[in-house]
Amino acid sequence: MPVYEAPVRDMQFLLHDVLKLQNYSNLPGFADADRDTIDAVLEESGKWHRDVLAPLNRVGDIEGAQRNDDGTVTTPTGFKAAYDQFCETGFGSLAMDPNYGGQGMPTTLAIAISEMTSSANQAFGMYPGLSAGAWRAIHAAASDEQKEKYLPKMTSGEWTGTMNLTEPQCGTDLGLIRTKAVPNGDGTFKISGQKIWISAGEHDMSDNIIHLVLARIEGAPEGIKGISLFIVPKFMVNDDGSLGERNNVSCGGLEEKMGIHGNATCVMNYDEATGFLVGEENKGMRAMFVMMNEARLGVGLQGYAAAEVAMQNAAAFARDRLQSRSVKGAQAPEKPADPIIVHPDVRRMLMDTRAFVEGARALTFWAALHEDMSHKSPDEATRQKSSDYMALLTPVIKAFMTDKGSKGANDSLQVFGGSGYCEEWGMSQFVRDVRIALIYEGTNGIQALDLVGRKLMAEGGRYWQTYFAEIDQWCADNKGQNDVLDGYIDGLLKAKAELQDATQWLGMNAMADFDQAGAASHDYLTLFGLVAIGHMWLMMTKEAQERIGDGDPFYANKLVTAQYFFERVLIESSMHLAKVKTGTSTMMKLEAEAF
Amino acid sequence: MPVYEAPVRDMQFLLHDVLKLQNYSNLPGFADADRDTIDAVLEESGKWHRDVLAPLNRVGDIEGAQRNDDGTVTTPTGFKAAYDQFCETGFGSLAMDPNYGGQGMPTTLAIAISEMTSSANQAFGMYPGLSAGAWRAIHAAASDEQKEKYLPKMTSGEWTGTMNLTEPQCGTDLGLIRTKAVPNGDGTFKISGQKIWISAGEHDMSDNIIHLVLARIEGAPEGIKGISLFIVPKFMVNDDGSLGERNNVSCGGLEEKMGIHGNATCVMNYDEATGFLVGEENKGMRAMFVMMNEARLGVGLQGYAAAEVAMQNAAAFARDRLQSRSVKGAQAPEKPADPIIVHPDVRRMLMDTRAFVEGARALTFWAALHEDMSHKSPDEATRQKSSDYMALLTPVIKAFMTDKGSKGANDSLQVFGGSGYCEEWGMSQFVRDVRIALIYEGTNGIQALDLVGRKLMAEGGRYWQTYFAEIDQWCADNKGQNDVLDGYIDGLLKAKAELQDATQWLGMNAMADFDQAGAASHDYLTLFGLVAIGHMWLMMTKEAQERIGDGDPFYANKLVTAQYFFERVLIESSMHLAKVKTGTSTMMKLEAEAF
């Protein structure tokens, strides 16, 4: 059975040394997150995820969530008990608003806990994960009365929440939504329709489930401009907060999926269920976008979190499995064969994954810090800049990290050879579970289109101009300290120049032919991801170099991995630039029927 | 449910126009494979695979092979009936030796049928596939008496065969085999031990199963030099060919795998089972290598065959699924949204897969023609050259095609969005099934090491020198015909120069440090695969250009895909060269415990 050890040391390095959270004590909640508190939370959380949650991962895969004849859903053995502990420890409410029972700590710390949950048990993590998304949408868009009514129990975890967007005929294209809302005359609505692929739509872990549902009010405009957002609780909530009658929403079935079996992916039927409008009529997409953007960061995190745990197990297997001798001669002559970690091609897969995971973690934590600053900074310019960065990097984080995370999980399976293909070793589950992350919350293709079609254009290019300038500034500020760092800076500036070249190419070509943007989008996003991760590797290199004298091998190892990244990973940038520039010439040429 | 249509037109193009089988009528069996016969076989086989075998694919995934309490194994519903038809039609014996009941047709034709079987139902295809491997090993290494006894019924399919190599402590490293053979004094042996991961080790489709087992005769030298090969029939075979008593070999369990559920992957227990030595004592590896090399070509084929069928379904879905409008404006204004095939990023995934699959098919058929020539050519120099090419390209075909085939299946799943993740659409099965192909018959890492460590070195570099010279010659012979072809030739020669650069780099660096070969091996092999496929795309371009006047859109489509390959795929070569040259510097630096 696979194991999981939370990468606490690497998280400490990022939070203390690279991002220097201690410098942000002026932000609300950050003063509470001093070094000792952070370390204690990470340690405690690490143990819990290793000892309690990770062992349930394979249970979830084998048993799956099961729908009973009465429409209730039973989660896998141990999930409910683990969820209760998860709520008691407060892992889920760490960064939530203290006005509604949250702890008000930095998102930058909470994201570390989210990573642990996702690594230990992705399917489990989706229950509180989706709930947090619904929490944020309500927090951002609902009335004070609604917030008072729903948020405290969602903060405590007594109630969970869901996001109901997809219908059989519409996934990406929410303008096609048919679920309808009919006014009852008392301010409430009757919601009717079918939603599919609703994660955690029904389960036995919480007392109530607060569904957020996109629907069309009778007579609303066609398309996306006629979509409204509703709260549809599973059980009606009385004014005193107690639960009332059962609402007419039910789980009609569960999807049989490739992975994340422990999560209930529900067909949800709304049959004149009572719904409460959130925000204004026909403005439902706005609140949903808040929720989706944060959810996308969480999905990007799932990508590298899966690669992390898969890599840990692959490394352990590679140290343990004896097979053949090193081509350089026996390395463990006392054993019948050498451990396979002596073979360079096994190392290649481990190092590829490691260089990605550590860079991806840094970028995710960095983005979380900007998330905090975008809300909490007293300085408007800082809030704006952080908000710009979040908008720009959200699609990059979602798509790049799930693409590469899936590859990391697959490479880790490969290290196991035939055992990787046998379910009992658990590697297949990592690969199958993470595969959804390339799809949900907007496929990676949609992310790429969001980046090139929306985020680059926004505010006359302000997002990327500011971001590129920040990278340039960092490089200028840190040049000349030592040859190694200078070499890496040169490498990153070359890749960044390629990214700028690609950006200009898009500017020149996509206006005349919008398809050029789509044709270039995947490679553009991947190139962007390499540069963004490279920026993080520069920051990590600098901090590790400054601390290498401490004698902690952590820093020396970090510098080896940095070198691997700059020598072997970042150089992929040129190929992506070349692909960007090939454009639509052949991509769009065949007739649809020719395929 | 996914569908499958055999790519008969593309196969005809390759066999008739590109490889020009009609020019080889001097080879035994080729005269029987005239154009009409080939077309008839392809058509008939295409229909059968579409109508009979493909619909059983998901059945096999859902039901799996089941072991009963008495140790027998029941294959999924419909497999046995389909197998009987498969044998009756003679699909499996097409290229087998007429001296033992085969049809003696070209392997170059048989490989096309194998592709159809693998696309339609990979798990099913492994039953006759493994059997053919065992057939070849017996044909190559057994005595005439043994061949007379076993081959005719294996040719007809009444009996099947297996390969028993792996044990719990040894996969790649067969020198660690513990299964032992004790002489009975009458020329037979008692075979005892446990083998694992034995595909088709036990099942209900044939009357007998002929196991080929690697074991160590008591007192044999340690390691690989003490391994002998034995025939261990499930039922003893009497002199008159009738079945005798049950041998002491049994299936102890089935593996629970990520995919290929329809195939029985068995733990096989040998308990003083009667075995018959094949060839000489302690020379078992030699015969096994014959079997393994041909099996590796079959596995490479599984890679692109999975991508082919996945792509077909992705294209059909993309033509059908309505979601969002083209960024250029509505393309199907009469519909609520455009089919997603209008979106460039969907095209990218389809075209990437198409450019790979068509090139991979060409290379596989080309290799099969060399396989034929290596055995059948009357000219010794031709036999030698073809044999060299087979040796050189076997690891490339196995690893490159399964790496890229897995990517193609994954990209095809991605086209489906959320539906791709739901098992009912069948895309998950393609991804899960093909995943094993990167592992079995020697992991792709082992293939890469075989290429750089063995095949490049063999005969003083003769294999690759001859092969590179053939590509140069083709380019020289065909330069100057038209600008398009000239451009592609230049592109391929550039990539080939990079491959030669990489080859030289290996020559200079790997001698001093063998780990350099391992560190470079994956990228070297991938670069090699790009060049080999590029060579095929040159040949296909030329033939398509010559026939474009026919008005068959097939040729125009082929040329679009060729352009896509040269513009967007082949250019990956430079990155792989750069990675080759980074060597071991960082890859081997971390302590094993640091992971």
Side-chain angles (χ1 to χ4, degrees), chain A residues 540-558:
Chain A
M540 292 193 286
T541 299
K542 179 188 172 188
E543 302 300 331
Q545 283 181 334
E546 288 178 2
R547 288 165 181 78
I548 189 124
D550 292 6
D552 183 345
F554 173 85
Y555 301 112
N557 293 338
K558 182 65 77 179

mmCIF file of all heavy atoms in Angstrom, chain A residues 540-558:
data_model
loop_
_atom_site.group_PDB
_atom_site.id
_atom_site.type_symbol
_atom_site.label_atom_id
_atom_site.label_comp_id
_atom_site.label_asym_id
_atom_site.label_seq_id
_atom_site.Cartn_x
_atom_site.Cartn_y
_atom_site.Cartn_z
ATOM 1 N N MET A 540 14.164 30.263 -5.237
ATOM 2 C CA MET A 540 14.570 29.177 -4.329
ATOM 3 C C MET A 540 16.082 28.990 -4.338
ATOM 4 O O MET A 540 16.700 28.715 -3.304
ATOM 5 C CB MET A 540 13.854 27.884 -4.719
ATOM 6 C CG MET A 540 12.353 27.940 -4.454
ATOM 7 S SD MET A 540 11.526 26.323 -4.554
ATOM 8 C CE MET A 540 11.496 26.040 -6.309
ATOM 9 N N THR A 541 16.679 29.133 -5.525
ATOM 10 C CA THR A 541 18.137 28.987 -5.626
ATOM 11 C C THR A 541 18.836 30.014 -4.741
ATOM 12 O O THR A 541 19.754 29.690 -3.974
ATOM 13 C CB THR A 541 18.585 29.166 -7.088
ATOM 14 O OG1 THR A 541 17.973 28.161 -7.903
ATOM 15 C CG2 THR A 541 20.103 29.054 -7.215
ATOM 16 N N LYS A 542 18.391 31.240 -4.854
ATOM 17 C CA LYS A 542 19.020 32.309 -4.072
ATOM 18 C C LYS A 542 18.955 32.010 -2.567
ATOM 19 O O LYS A 542 19.949 32.109 -1.847
ATOM 20 C CB LYS A 542 18.314 33.639 -4.371
ATOM 21 C CG LYS A 542 18.882 34.805 -3.600
ATOM 22 C CD LYS A 542 18.050 36.060 -3.772
ATOM 23 C CE LYS A 542 18.561 37.125 -2.813
ATOM 24 N NZ LYS A 542 17.718 38.306 -2.779
ATOM 25 N N GLU A 543 17.773 31.625 -2.113
ATOM 26 C CA GLU A 543 17.610 31.391 -0.677
ATOM 27 C C GLU A 543 18.385 30.158 -0.220
ATOM 28 O O GLU A 543 18.923 30.137 0.892
ATOM 29 C CB GLU A 543 16.118 31.245 -0.328
ATOM 30 C CG GLU A 543 15.256 32.448 -0.702
ATOM 31 C CD GLU A 543 15.694 33.744 -0.012
ATOM 32 O OE1 GLU A 543 16.246 33.668 1.096
ATOM 33 O OE2 GLU A 543 15.473 34.827 -0.610
ATOM 34 N N ALA A 544 18.415 29.137 -1.066
ATOM 35 C CA ALA A 544 19.162 27.925 -0.699
ATOM 36 C C ALA A 544 20.656 28.215 -0.664
ATOM 37 O O ALA A 544 21.371 27.749 0.233
ATOM 38 C CB ALA A 544 18.853 26.796 -1.680
ATOM 39 N N GLN A 545 21.129 29.008 -1.637
ATOM 40 C CA GLN A 545 22.562 29.367 -1.643
ATOM 41 C C GLN A 545 22.942 30.101 -0.357
ATOM 42 O O GLN A 545 23.999 29.849 0.220
ATOM 43 C CB GLN A 545 22.867 30.265 -2.845
ATOM 44 C CG GLN A 545 22.973 29.526 -4.173
ATOM 45 C CD GLN A 545 23.309 30.462 -5.329
ATOM 46 O OE1 GLN A 545 23.009 31.662 -5.270
ATOM 47 N NE2 GLN A 545 23.905 29.919 -6.377
ATOM 48 N N GLU A 546 22.057 30.985 0.082
ATOM 49 C CA GLU A 546 22.375 31.775 1.273
ATOM 50 C C GLU A 546 22.424 30.926 2.543
ATOM 51 O O GLU A 546 23.018 31.327 3.528
ATOM 52 C CB GLU A 546 21.345 32.899 1.449
ATOM 53 C CG GLU A 546 21.523 33.996 0.410
ATOM 54 C CD GLU A 546 20.483 35.102 0.537
ATOM 55 O OE1 GLU A 546 19.642 35.039 1.469
ATOM 56 O OE2 GLU A 546 20.499 36.011 -0.317
ATOM 57 N N ARG A 547 21.748 29.787 2.510
ATOM 58 C CA ARG A 547 21.654 28.960 3.715
ATOM 59 C C ARG A 547 22.490 27.680 3.660
ATOM 60 O O ARG A 547 22.455 26.879 4.585
ATOM 61 C CB ARG A 547 20.188 28.594 3.957
ATOM 62 C CG ARG A 547 19.367 29.781 4.438
ATOM 63 C CD ARG A 547 17.884 29.551 4.336
ATOM 64 N NE ARG A 547 17.149 30.729 4.791
ATOM 65 C CZ ARG A 547 16.974 31.844 4.055
ATOM 66 N NH1 ARG A 547 17.477 31.918 2.832
ATOM 67 N NH2 ARG A 547 16.315 32.873 4.553
ATOM 68 N N ILE A 548 23.212 27.480 2.564
ATOM 69 C CA ILE A 548 23.883 26.191 2.381
ATOM 70 C C ILE A 548 24.930 25.945 3.458
ATOM 71 O O ILE A 548 25.208 24.804 3.818
ATOM 72 C CB ILE A 548 24.496 26.089 0.963
ATOM 73 C CG1 ILE A 548 24.995 24.667 0.699
ATOM 74 C CG2 ILE A 548 25.615 27.091 0.750
ATOM 75 C CD1 ILE A 548 24.396 24.080 -0.525
ATOM 76 N N GLY A 549 25.450 27.039 4.011
ATOM 77 C CA GLY A 549 26.435 26.896 5.080
ATOM 78 C C GLY A 549 25.885 26.265 6.349
ATOM 79 O O GLY A 549 26.640 25.786 7.190
ATOM 80 N N ASP A 550 24.549 26.258 6.478
ATOM 81 C CA ASP A 550 23.922 25.668 7.672
ATOM 82 C C ASP A 550 24.244 24.190 7.840
ATOM 83 O O ASP A 550 24.082 23.637 8.928
ATOM 84 C CB ASP A 550 22.380 25.763 7.593
ATOM 85 C CG ASP A 550 21.900 27.202 7.689
ATOM 86 O OD1 ASP A 550 22.770 28.094 7.702
ATOM 87 O OD2 ASP A 550 20.684 27.415 7.748
ATOM 88 N N GLY A 551 24.638 23.557 6.738
ATOM 89 C CA GLY A 551 24.927 22.128 6.827
ATOM 90 C C GLY A 551 23.717 21.240 6.659
ATOM 91 O O GLY A 551 23.831 20.015 6.624
ATOM 92 N N ASP A 552 22.555 21.828 6.544
ATOM 93 C CA ASP A 552 21.345 21.029 6.306
ATOM 94 C C ASP A 552 21.364 20.550 4.858
ATOM 95 O O ASP A 552 21.377 21.381 3.940
ATOM 96 C CB ASP A 552 20.107 21.903 6.559
ATOM 97 C CG ASP A 552 18.801 21.145 6.413
ATOM 98 O OD1 ASP A 552 18.817 20.030 5.843
ATOM 99 O OD2 ASP A 552 17.767 21.663 6.873
ATOM 100 N N PRO A 553 21.391 19.233 4.635
ATOM 101 C CA PRO A 553 21.486 18.747 3.243
ATOM 102 C C PRO A 553 20.291 19.161 2.393
ATOM 103 O O PRO A 553 20.362 19.093 1.173
ATOM 104 C CB PRO A 553 21.541 17.217 3.391
ATOM 105 C CG PRO A 553 21.016 16.925 4.759
ATOM 106 C CD PRO A 553 21.335 18.129 5.600
ATOM 107 N N PHE A 554 19.227 19.621 3.046
ATOM 108 C CA PHE A 554 18.064 20.099 2.302
ATOM 109 C C PHE A 554 18.478 21.139 1.258
ATOM 110 O O PHE A 554 18.006 21.115 0.127
ATOM 111 C CB PHE A 554 17.041 20.710 3.268
ATOM 112 C CG PHE A 554 15.884 21.377 2.573
ATOM 113 C CD1 PHE A 554 14.787 20.628 2.178
ATOM 114 C CD2 PHE A 554 15.904 22.742 2.299
ATOM 115 C CE1 PHE A 554 13.719 21.233 1.517
ATOM 116 C CE2 PHE A 554 14.847 23.350 1.647
ATOM 117 C CZ PHE A 554 13.757 22.599 1.256
ATOM 118 N N TYR A 555 19.373 22.061 1.639
ATOM 119 C CA TYR A 555 19.747 23.144 0.729
ATOM 120 C C TYR A 555 20.596 22.634 -0.437
ATOM 121 O O TYR A 555 20.407 23.049 -1.588
ATOM 122 C CB TYR A 555 20.463 24.264 1.485
ATOM 123 C CG TYR A 555 19.606 24.856 2.580
ATOM 124 C CD1 TYR A 555 19.925 24.694 3.919
ATOM 125 C CD2 TYR A 555 18.444 25.554 2.249
ATOM 126 C CE1 TYR A 555 19.119 25.217 4.919
ATOM 127 C CE2 TYR A 555 17.623 26.081 3.249
ATOM 128 C CZ TYR A 555 17.968 25.902 4.579
ATOM 129 O OH TYR A 555 17.159 26.419 5.562
ATOM 130 N N ALA A 556 21.511 21.735 -0.125
ATOM 131 C CA ALA A 556 22.339 21.174 -1.203
ATOM 132 C C ALA A 556 21.456 20.411 -2.193
ATOM 133 O O ALA A 556 21.627 20.517 -3.413
ATOM 134 C CB ALA A 556 23.403 20.252 -0.617
ATOM 135 N N ASN A 557 20.496 19.662 -1.682
ATOM 136 C CA ASN A 557 19.598 18.916 -2.559
ATOM 137 C C ASN A 557 18.742 19.864 -3.400
ATOM 138 O O ASN A 557 18.472 19.604 -4.577
ATOM 139 C CB ASN A 557 18.686 17.993 -1.742
ATOM 140 C CG ASN A 557 19.467 16.880 -1.060
ATOM 141 O OD1 ASN A 557 20.580 16.542 -1.486
ATOM 142 N ND2 ASN A 557 18.903 16.321 0.003
ATOM 143 N N LYS A 558 18.329 20.937 -2.761
ATOM 144 C CA LYS A 558 17.530 21.929 -3.493
ATOM 145 C C LYS A 558 18.334 22.483 -4.663
ATOM 146 O O LYS A 558 17.797 22.670 -5.767
ATOM 147 C CB LYS A 558 17.103 23.042 -2.523
ATOM 148 C CG LYS A 558 16.224 24.121 -3.091
ATOM 149 C CD LYS A 558 14.860 23.609 -3.531
ATOM 150 C CE LYS A 558 13.915 23.371 -2.360
ATOM 151 N NZ LYS A 558 12.572 22.897 -2.831
#
